[in-house]
Amino acid sequence: MKKTLLLTSLVISMVAIAGTTGSVEGYNENEATFVKNPASTTFVAKKIGVKTEVKVNETGFSFGGDFKAEDLELGKAKKANYLNHSSVWAKYELPELKGVKSYVKATVEPKFVDESDNYKFGGSAEIEGQASYKYDVLTFGLKSKTNLPFKLSENNTDYGKDVKSTHKVFVESEKDKDVFVKGLKDVKANVEIKHNYATENVTKAGERVDYVKGNVELAYDSIKDLKIDGKADFTVNVNAPKELGNTKLGDYNLEDHELVGTLSKELVDFVHTYNAKLTYTGVKGLSLAVAPFVSHYRTSGIRLVVNNAIYGTSLNAEYKTLNDQLTLTGKALLAGYSVLKNGTNVANVENSGVVSLGANAKYDYKVSDKFTVSPEADAKLDLLIYDQQPAPFLTLTPKVSAEYKPTDALTLKGSVETPVKFKTVGAEFKYTDTQLKTSLNLKYEWK
């Protein structure tokens, strides 16, 4: 951490000069896990680094970088953990021409590949460009990115196969402004395609396409004290299945619950997801929300096609009192997971369910106008229901966070939390481990 603060100070002294605005930020996140067996105790520096952004006034030019290391496990860290997560970039915003705004941006991400302790330089440069035009409250635009690797991937002789481009056409409305009819707000829609430039073994253009995806979002709030949000997404992996990733379903992320987190590693042909959220704020200080969702994706093999569905709803309640200093939150998730298998000599359905209950209390204590301390307590109970046998996971997390802002330019944030975990091991529900998570963030901005 001392090295991070030293580097932060150095960057501040170099770039905080007349004619520029920007920021420099040092950060550190650590995680220690303690179990009954001391030999199994681990310490991991999840993230440590410095991020900076500098804008040269009245030129449209800006530049910056993120210099960081990730997942530095005590005694097991490799050179790749230190070197493979950084990037530097430069951006130029072109002068506006007849209402059209545009920019170009270049990013370099160096990689060092571990090959029997011989670290070879690889990774990529990315060129990004965007043009947009605003008409009334709507902005229409086109955004393109092209990733150029520094070296060929393994067992590949066709460089064009490794060059990837994504092109996105989008439209979005100005935040909180009505669109077409009273109450219709925050409209967003886009379609994106990703492809490569392979020249070998390609008989038609469609064989170069990786995926096609789309997204539509909108909100409606003309009913007193009620807001309705809607969202629909789809992804079609054209020539090969890809990982599902951390799909967000309503207020629910797959990765948030270890019960179904492995679903994000599924190789899928396509996925489409639909979310809605209704939020009621008719009682002072109280917010109530219900967020139903459904997602369907398909995986397939030579002799087996598997259709998967995840569906359910989350219920959230938040109450603020004591001049908004005390926040009480309750959450409930009810979800189902169904699998339909069809193939040679196979035709069956498997069902499972997830029930997640959570509660949180947080108090923001203002020691002074510049210093705030926020203690909080969080509890979460997850139940996986499979073959009528519930498997509980319980996590209790006390946490303290603080923010100190001595000047308008400098902000220091830190937090300490200790999740204590219990789960079913065999036929017994018992304590498994305690974690200690710390984070520290120092940000300096100049204008």
Side-chain angles (χ1 to χ4, degrees), residues 358-439:
N360 180 279
K362 180 179 180 182
Y363 183 74
D364 296 318
Y365 175 63
K366 295 186 179 298
V367 181
S368 68
D369 292 339
K370 299 179 180 180
F371 185 38
T372 302
V373 178
S374 302
E376 65 181 286
D378 186 89
K380 184 176 69 173
L381 174 64
D382 291 333
L383 293 173
L384 172 63
I385 304 171
Y386 185 77
D387 289 337
Q388 280 70 51
Q389 297 295 322
F393 293 74
L394 175 63
T395 305
L396 304 175
T397 308
K399 179 179 179 180
V400 176
S401 56
E403 179 176 331
Y404 179 53
K405 195 173 179 66
T407 68
D408 290 339
L410 184 64
T411 304
L412 178 64
K413 295 181 181 180
S415 68
V416 178
E417 59 182 291
T418 56
V420 182
K421 297 183 179 181
F422 304 81
K423 68 178 181 180
T424 301
V425 180
E428 184 180 359
F429 180 72
K430 62 180 183 180
Y431 161 81
T432 57
D433 61 77
T434 299
Q435 291 183 306
L436 176 63
K437 298 182 179 182
T438 62
S439 70

Coordinates of all heavy atoms in Angstrom, one line a residue, residues 358-439:
G358 N -32.6 -11.6 2.9 CA -31.6 -10.7 3.4 C -32.1 -9.5 4.1 O -33.2 -9.0 3.9
A359 N -31.3 -9.0 5.1 CA -31.6 -7.8 5.9 C -30.4 -7.0 6.1 O -29.3 -7.6 6.3 CB -32.3 -8.2 7.2
N360 N -30.5 -5.7 6.1 CA -29.4 -4.8 6.3 C -29.8 -3.6 7.1 O -30.9 -3.0 6.8 CB -28.8 -4.4 4.9 CG -27.6 -3.5 5.0 OD1 -27.7 -2.3 5.2 ND2 -26.4 -4.1 4.9
A361 N -28.9 -3.2 8.0 CA -29.1 -1.9 8.7 C -27.8 -1.1 8.6 O -26.7 -1.6 8.9 CB -29.5 -2.2 10.1
K362 N -28.0 0.2 8.2 CA -26.8 1.0 8.0 C -27.1 2.4 8.6 O -28.1 3.0 8.4 CB -26.4 1.2 6.5 CG -25.2 2.0 6.2 CD -25.0 2.1 4.7 CE -23.8 3.0 4.4 NZ -23.5 3.1 3.0
Y363 N -26.1 2.9 9.3 CA -26.2 4.2 9.9 C -25.1 5.1 9.5 O -23.9 4.7 9.7 CB -26.3 4.1 11.5 CG -26.5 5.5 12.2 CD1 -27.7 6.0 12.1 CD2 -25.4 6.1 12.8 CE1 -28.0 7.3 12.8 CE2 -25.6 7.3 13.4 CZ -26.9 7.9 13.4 OH -27.1 9.1 14.0
D364 N -25.4 6.3 8.9 CA -24.4 7.2 8.5 C -24.2 8.3 9.5 O -25.1 9.2 9.7 CB -24.8 7.9 7.1 CG -24.9 6.9 6.0 OD1 -24.0 6.0 5.9 OD2 -25.8 6.9 5.2
Y365 N -23.1 8.2 10.3 CA -22.8 9.1 11.3 C -21.9 10.2 10.9 O -20.7 9.9 10.5 CB -22.3 8.4 12.6 CG -21.8 9.3 13.7 CD1 -22.8 10.1 14.3 CD2 -20.5 9.4 14.1 CE1 -22.4 11.0 15.4 CE2 -20.1 10.2 15.1 CZ -21.1 11.0 15.7 OH -20.7 11.9 16.7
K366 N -22.3 11.4 10.8 CA -21.5 12.5 10.4 C -20.7 13.1 11.5 O -21.2 13.9 12.3 CB -22.3 13.6 9.7 CG -23.0 13.1 8.4 CD -23.7 14.3 7.7 CE -24.4 13.8 6.4 NZ -23.4 13.3 5.4
V367 N -19.5 12.7 11.6 CA -18.6 13.2 12.7 C -18.4 14.7 12.5 O -18.3 15.5 13.4 CB -17.2 12.5 12.7 CG1 -16.3 13.0 13.8 CG2 -17.5 11.0 12.8
S368 N -18.2 15.1 11.2 CA -18.1 16.5 10.8 C -18.6 16.6 9.4 O -19.0 15.6 8.8 CB -16.7 17.0 11.0 OG -15.9 16.4 10.0
D369 N -18.6 17.8 8.9 CA -19.0 18.0 7.5 C -18.0 17.3 6.5 O -18.4 17.0 5.4 CB -19.0 19.5 7.1 CG -20.1 20.3 7.8 OD1 -21.1 19.6 8.3 OD2 -20.0 21.5 8.0
K370 N -16.9 17.0 7.0 CA -15.9 16.4 6.1 C -15.6 14.9 6.4 O -15.0 14.2 5.6 CB -14.5 17.1 6.3 CG -14.6 18.6 5.9 CD -13.3 19.3 6.1 CE -13.3 20.7 5.7 NZ -12.0 21.4 5.9
F371 N -16.2 14.4 7.5 CA -15.9 13.0 7.9 C -17.2 12.3 8.3 O -17.9 12.7 9.1 CB -14.9 13.0 9.1 CG -14.4 11.7 9.5 CD1 -14.1 10.7 8.6 CD2 -14.3 11.4 10.9 CE1 -13.7 9.4 9.0 CE2 -13.8 10.2 11.3 CZ -13.5 9.2 10.4
T372 N -17.4 11.1 7.6 CA -18.6 10.3 7.8 C -18.2 8.9 8.1 O -17.4 8.3 7.4 CB -19.6 10.3 6.6 OG1 -19.9 11.7 6.4 CG2 -20.8 9.5 6.9
V373 N -18.7 8.3 9.2 CA -18.5 6.9 9.5 C -19.8 6.1 9.4 O -20.9 6.6 9.9 CB -17.9 6.7 10.9 CG1 -17.7 5.2 11.3 CG2 -16.6 7.5 11.0
S374 N -19.8 5.0 8.7 CA -21.1 4.2 8.5 C -20.9 2.8 8.9 O -20.5 1.9 8.1 CB -21.4 4.3 7.0 OG -21.6 5.6 6.5
P375 N -21.4 2.5 10.1 CA -21.4 1.1 10.5 C -22.7 0.4 9.9 O -23.7 1.1 9.8 CB -21.5 1.1 12.1 CG -22.1 2.5 12.3 CD -21.7 3.4 11.2
E376 N -22.6 -0.9 9.6 CA -23.8 -1.6 9.1 C -23.7 -3.0 9.4 O -22.6 -3.6 9.7 CB -23.9 -1.4 7.6 CG -22.9 -1.9 6.7 CD -23.1 -1.7 5.2 OE1 -24.0 -2.3 4.7 OE2 -22.4 -0.8 4.7
A377 N -24.8 -3.7 9.4 CA -24.9 -5.1 9.7 C -25.7 -5.8 8.6 O -26.8 -5.2 8.2 CB -25.5 -5.4 11.0
D378 N -25.3 -6.9 8.0 CA -26.0 -7.5 6.9 C -26.1 -9.0 7.2 O -25.2 -9.7 7.7 CB -25.2 -7.3 5.6 CG -25.9 -7.9 4.4 OD1 -26.7 -7.1 3.8 OD2 -25.7 -9.1 4.1
A379 N -27.3 -9.6 6.9 CA -27.5 -11.0 7.1 C -28.1 -11.5 5.8 O -29.1 -10.9 5.3 CB -28.4 -11.3 8.3
K380 N -27.7 -12.7 5.3 CA -28.2 -13.3 4.1 C -28.4 -14.8 4.3 O -27.4 -15.5 4.6 CB -27.4 -13.0 2.9 CG -28.0 -13.5 1.6 CD -27.2 -13.0 0.4 CE -25.8 -13.8 0.3 NZ -25.1 -13.5 -0.9
L381 N -29.5 -15.3 4.0 CA -29.8 -16.8 4.1 C -30.2 -17.3 2.7 O -31.2 -16.8 2.2 CB -30.9 -17.1 5.1 CG -31.3 -18.6 5.2 CD1 -30.2 -19.4 5.6 CD2 -32.5 -18.7 6.1
D382 N -29.4 -18.2 2.1 CA -29.8 -18.8 0.9 C -30.2 -20.2 1.1 O -29.5 -21.0 1.8 CB -28.6 -18.8 -0.1 CG -28.2 -17.4 -0.6 OD1 -29.1 -16.5 -0.6 OD2 -27.0 -17.1 -0.9
L383 N -31.2 -20.6 0.4 CA -31.7 -22.0 0.4 C -31.7 -22.6 -1.0 O -32.5 -22.0 -1.9 CB -33.1 -22.1 1.1 CG -33.2 -21.8 2.6 CD1 -34.6 -21.8 3.0 CD2 -32.4 -22.8 3.4
L384 N -31.0 -23.6 -1.3 CA -31.1 -24.3 -2.5 C -32.0 -25.5 -2.3 O -31.8 -26.3 -1.4 CB -29.7 -24.8 -3.0 CG -29.7 -25.8 -4.2 CD1 -30.3 -25.0 -5.5 CD2 -28.3 -26.3 -4.5
I385 N -33.1 -25.6 -3.1 CA -34.1 -26.6 -3.0 C -34.0 -27.6 -4.2 O -34.3 -27.2 -5.3 CB -35.5 -26.1 -2.8 CG1 -35.5 -25.1 -1.7 CG2 -36.5 -27.2 -2.6 CD1 -36.8 -24.3 -1.6
Y386 N -33.5 -28.8 -4.0 CA -33.2 -29.7 -5.0 C -33.7 -31.1 -4.5 O -33.2 -31.6 -3.5 CB -31.8 -29.7 -5.4 CG -31.5 -30.6 -6.6 CD1 -31.8 -30.2 -7.9 CD2 -30.9 -31.9 -6.4 CE1 -31.5 -31.0 -9.0 CE2 -30.6 -32.7 -7.5 CZ -30.9 -32.2 -8.8 OH -30.6 -33.0 -9.9
D387 N -34.6 -31.7 -5.2 CA -35.2 -33.0 -4.8 C -35.7 -32.9 -3.4 O -35.6 -33.8 -2.6 CB -34.1 -34.1 -4.8 CG -33.7 -34.5 -6.3 OD1 -34.6 -34.3 -7.2 OD2 -32.6 -35.0 -6.5
Q388 N -36.4 -31.8 -3.1 CA -37.0 -31.5 -1.8 C -36.1 -31.5 -0.7 O -36.5 -31.6 0.5 CB -38.2 -32.5 -1.6 CG -39.5 -32.2 -2.3 CD -39.4 -32.4 -3.8 OE1 -39.0 -33.5 -4.2 NE2 -39.8 -31.4 -4.5
Q389 N -34.8 -31.4 -0.9 CA -33.8 -31.3 0.1 C -33.1 -29.9 0.2 O -32.2 -29.6 -0.6 CB -32.7 -32.4 -0.1 CG -33.2 -33.8 -0.1 CD -33.7 -34.2 1.3 OE1 -33.2 -33.8 2.3 NE2 -34.8 -35.0 1.3
P390 N -33.6 -29.1 1.1 CA -33.0 -27.7 1.1 C -31.6 -27.7 1.7 O -31.3 -28.4 2.6 CB -34.0 -27.0 2.1 CG -34.5 -28.0 2.9 CD -34.6 -29.3 2.1
A391 N -30.7 -27.0 1.0 CA -29.3 -26.8 1.5 C -29.1 -25.3 1.8 O -29.1 -24.5 0.9 CB -28.4 -27.2 0.4
P392 N -29.0 -25.0 3.1 CA -28.9 -23.6 3.5 C -27.5 -23.1 3.5 O -26.5 -23.8 3.8 CB -29.5 -23.6 5.0 CG -29.2 -25.0 5.5 CD -29.2 -25.9 4.3
F393 N -27.4 -21.8 3.2 CA -26.1 -21.1 3.3 C -26.4 -19.8 4.0 O -27.3 -19.0 3.6 CB -25.6 -20.7 1.9 CG -25.1 -21.9 1.0 CD1 -26.0 -22.7 0.5 CD2 -23.8 -22.1 0.8 CE1 -25.6 -23.8 -0.3 CE2 -23.3 -23.1 0.0 CZ -24.3 -24.0 -0.5
L394 N -25.7 -19.5 5.1 CA -26.0 -18.3 5.9 C -24.7 -17.5 6.0 O -23.6 -18.0 6.3 CB -26.4 -18.7 7.3 CG -26.6 -17.6 8.3 CD1 -27.7 -16.7 7.9 CD2 -26.8 -18.1 9.7
T395 N -24.8 -16.2 5.7 CA -23.7 -15.3 5.8 C -24.1 -14.1 6.7 O -25.1 -13.4 6.4 CB -23.2 -14.8 4.4 OG1 -23.0 -15.9 3.6 CG2 -22.0 -13.9 4.5
L396 N -23.3 -13.8 7.7 CA -23.5 -12.7 8.6 C -22.3 -11.8 8.4 O -21.1 -12.2 8.6 CB -23.6 -13.1 10.1 CG -24.7 -14.2 10.4 CD1 -24.6 -14.6 11.8 CD2 -26.1 -13.6 10.1
T397 N -22.6 -10.5 8.1 CA -21.5 -9.6 7.8 C -21.6 -8.2 8.5 O -22.4 -7.4 8.1 CB -21.5 -9.3 6.3 OG1 -21.5 -10.5 5.5 CG2 -20.3 -8.5 5.9
P398 N -20.8 -8.0 9.5 CA -20.7 -6.7 10.1 C -19.7 -5.9 9.2 O -18.7 -6.4 8.7 CB -20.1 -6.9 11.5 CG -19.4 -8.2 11.4 CD -20.1 -9.0 10.3
K399 N -19.9 -4.6 9.1 CA -19.1 -3.8 8.2 C -19.0 -2.3 8.7 O -20.0 -1.8 9.3 CB -19.6 -3.8 6.8 CG -18.9 -2.9 5.8 CD -19.5 -3.0 4.4 CE -18.7 -2.2 3.4 NZ -19.3 -2.3 2.0
V400 N -17.9 -1.7 8.6 CA -17.7 -0.3 8.9 C -17.0 0.4 7.7 O -16.0 -0.1 7.2 CB -16.9 -0.1 10.2 CG1 -16.7 1.4 10.4 CG2 -17.5 -0.7 11.4
S401 N -17.6 1.4 7.2 CA -17.0 2.2 6.1 C -16.8 3.7 6.6 O -17.6 4.1 7.4 CB -17.8 2.1 4.8 OG -19.1 2.5 5.0
A402 N -15.9 4.3 6.0 CA -15.7 5.7 6.3 C -15.3 6.5 5.1 O -14.7 6.0 4.2 CB -14.6 5.9 7.4
E403 N -15.7 7.8 5.1 CA -15.3 8.7 4.0 C -14.8 10.0 4.6 O -15.5 10.6 5.5 CB -16.4 9.0 3.1 CG -16.1 9.9 1.9 CD -17.2 10.1 1.0 OE1 -18.0 9.2 0.8 OE2 -17.3 11.2 0.4
Y404 N -13.6 10.5 4.2 CA -13.0 11.7 4.7 C -12.7 12.6 3.5 O -12.0 12.1 2.6 CB -11.8 11.4 5.5 CG -11.1 12.6 6.0 CD1 -11.8 13.6 6.8 CD2 -9.7 12.8 5.8 CE1 -11.1 14.7 7.3 CE2 -9.0 13.9 6.3 CZ -9.8 14.9 7.0 OH -9.1 16.0 7.5
K405 N -13.2 13.8 3.5 CA -13.0 14.7 2.4 C -12.5 16.0 2.9 O -13.3 17.0 3.1 CB -14.3 14.9 1.6 CG -14.2 15.5 0.2 CD -15.5 15.5 -0.5 CE -15.4 16.2 -1.8 NZ -14.5 15.4 -2.8
P406 N -11.2 16.1 3.2 CA -10.6 17.3 3.8 C -10.7 18.5 2.9 O -10.8 19.7 3.4 CB -9.2 16.9 4.0 CG -8.9 15.8 3.1 CD -10.2 15.1 2.9
T407 N -10.7 18.3 1.5 CA -10.8 19.4 0.6 C -11.7 18.9 -0.5 O -12.1 17.8 -0.7 CB -9.5 19.8 0.0 OG1 -9.0 18.8 -0.9 CG2 -8.5 20.1 1.1
D408 N -12.1 19.9 -1.4 CA -13.0 19.5 -2.6 C -12.2 18.6 -3.5 O -12.8 17.9 -4.3 CB -13.4 20.8 -3.3 CG -14.5 21.6 -2.5 OD1 -15.1 20.9 -1.6 OD2 -14.6 22.8 -2.7
A409 N -10.9 18.7 -3.5 CA -10.1 17.9 -4.4 C -9.7 16.5 -4.0 O -9.4 15.6 -4.8 CB -8.8 18.7 -4.7
L410 N -9.7 16.3 -2.6 CA -9.2 15.0 -2.1 C -10.3 14.2 -1.4 O -11.0 14.8 -0.5 CB -8.0 15.3 -1.2 CG -7.3 14.1 -0.6 CD1 -6.6 13.3 -1.7 CD2 -6.2 14.5 0.5
T411 N -10.4 13.0 -1.7 CA -11.4 12.1 -1.0 C -10.7 10.8 -0.6 O -10.0 10.2 -1.4 CB -12.6 11.8 -1.9 OG1 -13.2 13.0 -2.4 CG2 -13.6 10.9 -1.2
L412 N -10.9 10.4 0.6 CA -10.3 9.2 1.1 C -11.4 8.3 1.7 O -12.3 8.7 2.5 CB -9.3 9.4 2.3 CG -8.7 8.2 3.0 CD1 -7.8 7.5 2.0 CD2 -7.8 8.7 4.2
K413 N -11.5 7.1 1.1 CA -12.6 6.1 1.5 C -11.9 4.8 2.0 O -10.9 4.4 1.4 CB -13.5 5.8 0.4 CG -14.4 7.0 -0.1 CD -15.3 6.6 -1.2 CE -16.1 7.8 -1.8 NZ -17.0 7.4 -2.9
G414 N -12.5 4.2 3.0 CA -12.1 2.9 3.4 C -13.2 2.1 4.0 O -14.2 2.6 4.5
S415 N -13.0 0.8 4.1 CA -14.0 -0.1 4.7 C -13.4 -1.4 5.2 O -12.3 -1.8 4.7 CB -15.1 -0.4 3.7 OG -14.6 -1.3 2.7
V416 N -14.0 -1.9 6.2 CA -13.6 -3.2 6.8 C -14.9 -4.0 7.0 O -15.8 -3.5 7.6 CB -12.8 -3.1 8.1 CG1 -12.5 -4.5 8.7 CG2 -11.6 -2.2 7.9
E417 N -14.9 -5.3 6.5 CA -16.0 -6.1 6.7 C -15.6 -7.5 7.0 O -14.5 -8.0 6.5 CB -17.0 -6.1 5.5 CG -16.4 -6.5 4.2 CD -17.4 -6.4 3.1 OE1 -18.4 -7.2 3.1 OE2 -17.2 -5.6 2.2
T418 N -16.4 -8.3 7.8 CA -16.0 -9.7 8.2 C -17.1 -10.6 8.0 O -17.9 -10.9 8.9 CB -15.5 -9.7 9.6 OG1 -16.6 -9.2 10.5 CG2 -14.3 -8.9 9.8
P419 N -17.3 -11.1 6.8 CA -18.4 -12.1 6.5 C -18.1 -13.4 7.3 O -17.0 -14.0 7.2 CB -18.3 -12.4 5.0 CG -17.6 -11.2 4.5 CD -16.6 -10.8 5.5
V420 N -19.1 -13.9 8.0 CA -19.0 -15.2 8.7 C -19.9 -16.2 8.0 O -21.1 -15.9 7.9 CB -19.3 -15.0 10.2 CG1 -19.2 -16.4 10.9 CG2 -18.4 -14.0 10.8
K421 N -19.4 -17.3 7.6 CA -20.2 -18.2 6.7 C -20.6 -19.5 7.4 O -19.7 -20.1 8.1 CB -19.5 -18.4 5.4 CG -19.3 -17.2 4.6 CD -18.6 -17.5 3.2 CE -18.5 -16.2 2.4 NZ -17.8 -16.5 1.1
F422 N -21.8 -20.0 7.1 CA -22.3 -21.3 7.6 C -22.9 -22.0 6.4 O -23.6 -21.3 5.6 CB -23.3 -21.1 8.7 CG -22.8 -20.3 9.9 CD1 -22.8 -18.9 9.9 CD2 -22.3 -21.0 11.0 CE1 -22.4 -18.2 11.0 CE2 -21.9 -20.2 12.1 CZ -21.9 -18.8 12.1
K423 N -22.7 -23.3 6.3 CA -23.4 -24.0 5.2 C -23.5 -25.5 5.6 O -22.9 -26.0 6.6 CB -22.7 -23.8 3.9 CG -21.4 -24.5 3.8 CD -20.8 -24.3 2.3 CE -19.5 -24.9 2.2 NZ -18.9 -24.7 0.8
T424 N -24.2 -26.2 4.8 CA -24.4 -27.7 5.0 C -23.2 -28.4 4.4 O -22.9 -28.3 3.3 CB -25.7 -28.2 4.3 OG1 -26.8 -27.5 4.9 CG2 -25.9 -29.7 4.6
V425 N -22.5 -29.2 5.3 CA -21.4 -30.0 4.9 C -21.8 -31.4 5.2 O -21.9 -31.8 6.4 CB -20.1 -29.6 5.6 CG1 -19.0 -30.5 5.1 CG2 -19.8 -28.2 5.3
G426 N -22.1 -32.2 4.1 CA -22.6 -33.6 4.4 C -24.0 -33.4 4.9 O -24.9 -32.8 4.2
A427 N -24.3 -34.0 6.0 CA -25.6 -33.9 6.6 C -25.7 -32.8 7.7 O -26.7 -32.7 8.4 CB -26.1 -35.2 7.1
E428 N -24.6 -32.1 7.9 CA -24.5 -31.2 9.1 C -24.4 -29.7 8.6 O -23.7 -29.4 7.7 CB -23.3 -31.6 9.9 CG -23.2 -30.7 11.2 CD -21.9 -31.1 12.0 OE1 -21.2 -32.0 11.5 OE2 -21.7 -30.5 13.0
F429 N -25.2 -28.9 9.3 CA -25.1 -27.4 9.0 C -24.2 -26.8 10.0 O -24.4 -26.9 11.2 CB -26.5 -26.8 9.2 CG -26.5 -25.3 8.9 CD1 -26.3 -24.8 7.6 CD2 -26.7 -24.4 10.0 CE1 -26.3 -23.4 7.4 CE2 -26.7 -23.1 9.8 CZ -26.5 -22.6 8.5
K430 N -23.1 -26.2 9.5 CA -22.1 -25.8 10.5 C -21.3 -24.6 10.0 O -21.3 -24.2 8.8 CB -21.1 -26.9 10.8 CG -20.3 -27.4 9.7 CD -19.4 -28.6 10.1 CE -18.5 -29.1 9.0 NZ -17.6 -30.2 9.4
Y431 N -20.5 -24.0 10.9 CA -19.6 -22.9 10.5 C -18.5 -23.4 9.6 O -18.0 -24.4 9.8 CB -19.0 -22.3 11.8 CG -17.8 -21.4 11.6 CD1 -17.9 -20.1 11.1 CD2 -16.5 -22.0 11.8 CE1 -16.8 -19.3 10.9 CE2 -15.4 -21.2 11.6 CZ -15.5 -19.9 11.2 OH -14.4 -19.1 11.0
T432 N -18.2 -22.6 8.5 CA -17.1 -23.0 7.6 C -15.9 -22.0 7.6 O -14.8 -22.5 7.7 CB -17.7 -23.1 6.2 OG1 -18.3 -21.8 5.8 CG2 -18.7 -24.2 6.1
D433 N -16.2 -20.7 7.6 CA -15.0 -19.8 7.5 C -15.4 -18.4 7.9 O -16.6 -18.1 7.8 CB -14.3 -19.9 6.2 CG -15.2 -19.5 5.0 OD1 -15.4 -18.2 4.9 OD2 -15.7 -20.3 4.3
T434 N -14.4 -17.6 8.2 CA -14.6 -16.2 8.4 C -13.7 -15.4 7.4 O -12.5 -15.8 7.3 CB -14.3 -15.8 9.8 OG1 -15.2 -16.4 10.7 CG2 -14.5 -14.3 10.0
Q435 N -14.2 -14.4 6.8 CA -13.3 -13.6 5.9 C -13.1 -12.2 6.5 O -14.0 -11.7 7.2 CB -13.9 -13.5 4.5 CG -14.0 -14.8 3.7 CD -14.5 -14.6 2.4 OE1 -15.6 -14.1 2.2 NE2 -13.8 -15.0 1.3
L436 N -12.0 -11.6 6.2 CA -11.7 -10.2 6.5 C -11.4 -9.5 5.2 O -10.5 -9.8 4.5 CB -10.5 -10.1 7.5 CG -10.1 -8.7 7.8 CD1 -11.2 -8.0 8.6 CD2 -8.8 -8.7 8.6
K437 N -12.3 -8.6 4.9 CA -12.2 -7.8 3.6 C -11.9 -6.3 3.9 O -12.7 -5.7 4.7 CB -13.4 -7.9 2.8 CG -13.8 -9.3 2.3 CD -15.0 -9.4 1.4 CE -15.3 -10.8 0.9 NZ -16.5 -10.8 0.0
T438 N -10.9 -5.8 3.4 CA -10.6 -4.4 3.6 C -10.4 -3.7 2.2 O -10.0 -4.3 1.2 CB -9.2 -4.2 4.4 OG1 -8.2 -4.8 3.6 CG2 -9.3 -4.9 5.7
S439 N -10.7 -2.4 2.2 CA -10.5 -1.6 1.0 C -10.1 -0.2 1.4 O -10.5 0.3 2.4 CB -11.8 -1.6 0.1 OG -12.8 -0.9 0.7

